[in-house]
Amino acid sequence: MDVSGDDEDEAGTHQSRLCNGQYLASASNDGLINIWTAGDWKLQKSLVGHVGKVLSVDIASDGSCIASAGFDKTFKLWAPDDISI
């Protein structure tokens, strides 16, 4: 999978494009990392693991995993089994 860029909105939600621009991963204040289809913003999967706000999310350049960091002072590496859609 190719990462085609990332962005941070005014509310501090960090988003990264995944799978040649077909999917987006977003981190939010509710502790979830959500994976969305880019075309219609349909939720495909939610990753649960942080307690409280997720500060950042990024995707490996080869698409093999997602990394996230939370306000709970944890860093998570999500394996392909966790993120497969």
Side-chain angles (χ1 to χ4, degrees):
M1 292 181 227
D2 180 35
V3 176
S4 54
D6 58 31
D7 194 17
E8 185 172 344
D9 67 16
E10 294 175 5
T13 301
H14 190 271
Q15 303 168 344
S16 293
R17 289 171 188 82
L18 162 66
C19 194
N20 296 321
Q22 294 178 25
Y23 298 99
L24 297 171
S26 66
S28 61
N29 293 339
D30 61 5
L32 296 177
I33 296 165
N34 292 310
I35 301 175
W36 311 85
T37 50
D40 61 6
W41 286 96
K42 185 176 177 183
L43 181 62
Q44 297 297 312
K45 188 167 200 169
S46 293
L47 305 175
V48 179
H50 288 284
V51 176
K53 184 178 181 177
V54 180
L55 301 173
S56 183
V57 63
D58 210 345
I59 301 158
S61 60
D62 65 358
S64 62
C65 64
I66 292 177
S68 61
F71 192 72
D72 58 359
K73 299 180 183 177
T74 63
F75 172 82
K76 307 261 186 214
L77 258 178
W78 303 89
D81 289 341
D82 298 323
I83 61 175
S84 65
I85 298 172

